[in-house]
């Protein structure tokens, strides 16, 4: 039992040393970035770029820290953009007026259209024929007066098949026009169903008039509706947050036909996915799944009909898939292969997200650094309200600079310095002590086996001393064989461990 306890103790000692060294290694940060500050303000904020997400090992950026020049952590808050709560958008029919080719270059209202006192448009003559129609004038003055934002236009095309590009311009007086974006409209009959893309995104525009200029021929328009959303401060703040994209992600084919897998490479809060099909003239329904790791199950996050259609100089693809922010790293796309799937070639993906903003207190001396990438770190961020504490100080924008060399690497590169030497010495010392202990136990077991092999066949069992004793006596195993009578019928001899021997080398125990 004593030997077992000794071996167990050494194993526990080795394990504790190993765990402690692993914890030290896990507490290191994978990357450090310089923080560039312009003025002597109390608070600074920085928008976290993709490099910070790529280095983080936590889904909530809990391993992000800010250090001052003395290496002390400073208080900080981490704010992620949230989808604002708002009332559902409504669709309202709007007036539109076909415009002849000469009208866009003129001033004031186009021919056949007048402006009422409230700014709305009225038709005074029949619209031009389709052959002469290359633009349409949209009246959204009522929505502008109500203070609402126009999120998109929905153009219902009468044609069974149409594919074309359109440029959008905006104006408040029908004289000065500004570019407002472009879009591609699509309506195609496919296997008894209709595939359509009839939205023109406007991103909350407040202009009074819009002009649609058709680049590939004007379609027959059944009706036009405006998707109107009441303005809110939260929505304006979210619209001001720039969307970041990680492009060029190549999906690999899975073991089953129609399966594609890809990884984002970091805990990005993905809320947009662009799936770029490898071949033109492809239409295929698909379902998108995600999971955090191999130990978790796949969960469905989005589904859509993917398409890429080519018509002369016009090529049109499915819009980006929208979803709630998702920090999972592993993604799976399952495509319906009943009509050929995606064909040959690689599926490429672009992932978009809205980055978080880090605000910190400039406590202590510069330079300040941002560290990220520690498996052992737990988030220490506080809320922005608790960080500012109602202070009137203005939060100044900071910039994330270059990647700094790791402190451990810098020490390792210095002459005569090895940051891991002490840990290695401790491990080797523990291993050598454990091996020595095991060797001593093995030697004692071998000696005991040899003694039992030399004992007479008819003798009774002999209790071998476990403790120390004098040389030449039965306290040691070397003198025990000479003290035990030989031959059959010998008396039983029990040698007790007294820890001492007499002067003649005989044990003081009783026979």
């Amino acid at each position: 039992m004593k030997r077992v306890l000794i071996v167990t103790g050494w194993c526990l000692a080795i394990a504790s040393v190993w765990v402690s060294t692993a914890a030290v290694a896990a507490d290191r940060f994978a990357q450090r970035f310089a923080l560039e500050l312009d003025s002597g303000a109390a608070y600074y904020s920085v928008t976290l770029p993709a490099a910070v997400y790529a280095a983080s090992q936590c889904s909530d950026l809990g391993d992000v820290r800010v250090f001052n020049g003395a290496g002390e952590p400073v208080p900080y808050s981490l704010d992620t953009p949230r989808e604002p709560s708002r009332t559902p958008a409504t669709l309202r029919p709007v007036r539109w007026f076909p415009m002849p080719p000469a009208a866009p270059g003129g001033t004031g209202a186009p021919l056949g259209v007048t402006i009422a006192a409230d700014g709305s448009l009225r038709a005074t003559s029949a619209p031009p024929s389709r052959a002469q129609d290359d633009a349409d004038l949209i009246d959204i003055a009522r929505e502008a007066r109500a203070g609402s934002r126009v999120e998109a236009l929905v153009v219902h095309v009468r044609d069974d098949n149409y594919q074309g590009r359109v440029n959008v311009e905006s104006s408040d007086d029908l004289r000065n026009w500004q570019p407002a974006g472009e879009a591609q409209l699509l309506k195609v009959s496919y296997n008894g169903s209709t595939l359509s893309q009839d939205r023109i995104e406007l991103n909350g525009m407040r202009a009074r008039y819009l002009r649609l200029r058709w680049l590939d021929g004007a379609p027959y328009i059944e009706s036009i509706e405006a998707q109107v959303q009441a303005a809110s401060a939260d929505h304006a703040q979210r619209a001001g947050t720039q969307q970041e994209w990680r492009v060029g992600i190549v999906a690999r084919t899975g073991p089953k036909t129609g399966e594609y897998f890809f990884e984002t490479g970091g805990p990005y809060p993905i809320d947009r996915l662009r799936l770029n099909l490898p071949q033109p003239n492809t239409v295929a329904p698909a379902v998108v799944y995600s999971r955090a790791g191999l130990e978790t199950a796949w969960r469905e996050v989005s589904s859509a009909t993917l398409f890429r259609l080519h018509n002369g100089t016009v090529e049109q693809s499915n819009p980006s898939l929208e979803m709630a922010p998702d920090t999972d790293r592993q993604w799976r796309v399952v495509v319906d292969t009943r009509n050929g799937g995606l064909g040959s070639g690689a599926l490429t993906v672009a992932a978009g997200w809205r980055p978080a903003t880090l605000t910190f207190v400039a406590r202590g001396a510069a330079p300040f650094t941002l560290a990220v990438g520690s498996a052992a770190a737990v988030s220490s961020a506080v809320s922005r309200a608790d960080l500012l504490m109602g202070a009137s100080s203005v939060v100044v924008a900071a910039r994330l600079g270059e990647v700094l060399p790791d402190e451990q690497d810098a020490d390792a590169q210095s002459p005569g310095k090895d940051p891991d030497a002490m840990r290695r010495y401790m491990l080797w010392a523990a291993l050598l002590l454990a091996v020595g202990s095991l060797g001593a136990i093995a030697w004692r077991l071998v000696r005991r086996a040899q003694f039992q092999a030399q004992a007479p066949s008819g003798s009774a069992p002999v209790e071998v001393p476990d403790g120390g004793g004098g040389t030449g006596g039965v306290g040691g195993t070397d003198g025990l064989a000479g003290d035990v009578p030989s031959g059959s019928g010998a008396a039983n001899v029990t040698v007790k461990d007294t820890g001492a021997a007499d002067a003649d080398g005989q044990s003081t125990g009783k026979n």
Side-chain angles (χ1 to χ4, degrees):
M1 180 61 67
K2 184 184 295 185
R3 301 186 185 95
V4 175
L5 293 176
I6 292 174
V7 175
T8 303
W10 281 115
C11 291
L12 292 175
I14 296 173
S16 63
V17 172
W18 180 264
V19 171
S20 64
T21 55
V24 172
D27 199 31
R28 298 177 181 173
F29 290 94
Q31 285 191 355
R32 294 177 181 267
F33 299 85
L35 287 170
E36 301 176 356
L37 315 180
D38 288 337
S39 61
Y43 294 97
Y44 291 89
S45 66
V46 59
T47 302
L48 300 182
V52 174
Y53 285 93
S56 177
Q57 300 185 30
C58 301
S59 60
D60 60 350
L61 296 179
D63 55 352
V64 172
R65 296 289 188 275
V66 178
F67 296 95
N68 57 21
E72 302 170 340
V74 301
Y76 71 97
S77 68
L78 196 61
D79 303 303
T80 57
R82 297 179 180 179
E83 186 71 24
S85 58
R86 53 182 182 178
T87 58
T90 57
L91 290 176
R92 298 177 184 173
V94 295
R95 290 173 172 266
W96 85 98
F97 305 89
M99 302 173 61
T107 59
L111 297 176
V113 179
T114 60
I115 304 176
D118 60 355
S120 60
L121 302 180
R122 298 288 187 272
T124 58
S125 63
S129 64
R130 186 184 183 191
Q132 298 176 335
D133 180 11
D134 69 346
D136 288 285
L137 183 63
I138 312 295
D139 180 10
I140 56 172
R142 182 179 64 177
E143 284 71 23
R145 290 194 303 270
S148 302
R149 295 179 178 272
V150 179
E151 298 287 339
L153 288 179
V154 181
V155 181
H156 300 284
V157 178
R158 187 184 304 174
D159 307 70
D160 291 335
N161 292 280
Y162 176 78
Q163 184 176 358
R165 299 166 298 169
V166 59
N167 281 344
V168 185
E169 299 171 303
S170 63
S171 176
D172 287 326
D173 55 8
L174 295 177
R175 291 181 175 86
N176 301 306
W177 295 90
Q178 295 82 32
E182 59 182 20
Q184 295 182 353
L185 298 187
L186 171 71
K187 185 178 181 182
V188 178
S189 298
Y190 176 73
N191 282 350
S193 60
T194 301
L195 179 66
S196 64
Q197 181 174 310
D198 52 9
R199 287 174 58 87
I200 302 176
E201 299 291 343
L202 299 177
N203 298 322
M205 184 170 296
R206 281 185 172 177
R208 304 180 69 181
Y209 311 105
L210 297 175
R211 184 166 66 188
L212 307 182
R213 304 195 65 173
W214 305 98
L215 304 180
D216 301 300
Y220 283 109
I221 298 177
E222 184 75 29
S223 62
I224 300 179
E225 294 177 309
Q227 180 176 319
V228 181
Q229 175 67 56
S232 65
D234 290 341
H235 181 261
Q237 181 178 2
R238 183 183 185 276
T241 305
Q242 184 179 3
Q243 188 88 17
E244 296 285 341
W245 288 90
R246 184 168 183 258
V247 300
I249 304 174
V250 179
R252 64 184 186 278
T253 56
K256 298 180 181 179
T257 305
E259 279 189 336
Y260 300 87
F261 297 88
F262 66 93
E263 296 184 2
T264 58
Y268 307 98
I270 305 299
D271 60 1
R272 298 287 190 278
L273 276 183
R274 284 203 301 255
L275 302 177
N276 304 314
L277 306 185
Q279 291 185 341
N281 298 329
T282 301
V283 179
V287 182
V288 181
Y289 302 86
S290 73
R291 67 181 182 183
L294 297 176
E295 68 282 356
T296 58
W298 292 105
R299 60 185 182 86
E300 181 179 343
V301 295
S302 183
S303 62
T305 299
L306 308 180
F307 61 87
R308 179 185 173 188
L309 301 175
H310 185 79
N311 182 16
T313 59
V314 180
E315 183 169 290
Q316 197 163 14
S317 301
N318 53 274
S320 301
L321 305 184
E322 298 184 8
M323 63 199 70
D326 190 339
T327 59
D328 289 346
R329 296 172 181 256
Q330 298 182 4
W331 295 74
R332 171 176 169 237
V333 181
V334 180
V335 177
D336 189 345
T337 59
R338 288 177 294 180
N339 292 313
L342 304 185
S344 60
L347 174 70
T348 58
V349 182
W353 72 94
R354 297 184 184 276
T357 300
L358 183 143
T359 306
F360 65 94
V361 182
R363 184 187 66 191
F368 290 88
T369 58
L370 184 148
V372 62
S374 173
V378 180
S379 178
S380 60
V382 299
S383 67
R384 184 180 176 89
D386 292 340
L387 183 72
L388 299 180
M389 295 295 293
S392 59
S393 301
V394 177
V395 179
V396 179
R399 296 181 303 276
L400 202 68
E402 60 182 5
V403 179
L404 300 176
D406 186 73
E407 293 180 355
Q408 303 291 340
D409 295 340
D411 290 341
Q413 294 173 2
S414 300
K417 290 186 178 181
D418 188 353
D420 295 330
M422 183 58 66
R423 292 194 299 115
R424 288 200 300 269
Y425 295 154
M426 292 175 63
L427 281 175
W428 278 112
L431 289 174
L432 290 175
L433 288 174
V435 171
S437 178
L438 292 175
I441 294 173
W443 180 82
R444 294 177 66 87
L445 292 176
V446 170
R447 296 289 296 172
R448 181 173 184 176
Q450 290 177 351
F451 167 74
Q452 292 177 350
Q454 296 174 359
S457 59
S459 61
V462 177
E463 183 177 334
V464 179
D466 193 34
T471 59
V474 295
T477 58
D478 292 340
L480 183 61
D483 295 336
V484 179
S486 61
S488 60
N492 293 342
V493 178
T494 301
V495 181
K496 300 296 183 178
D497 183 12
T498 61
D502 57 10
D504 296 333
Q506 301 297 326
S507 172
T508 57
K510 294 182 181 181
N511 291 337

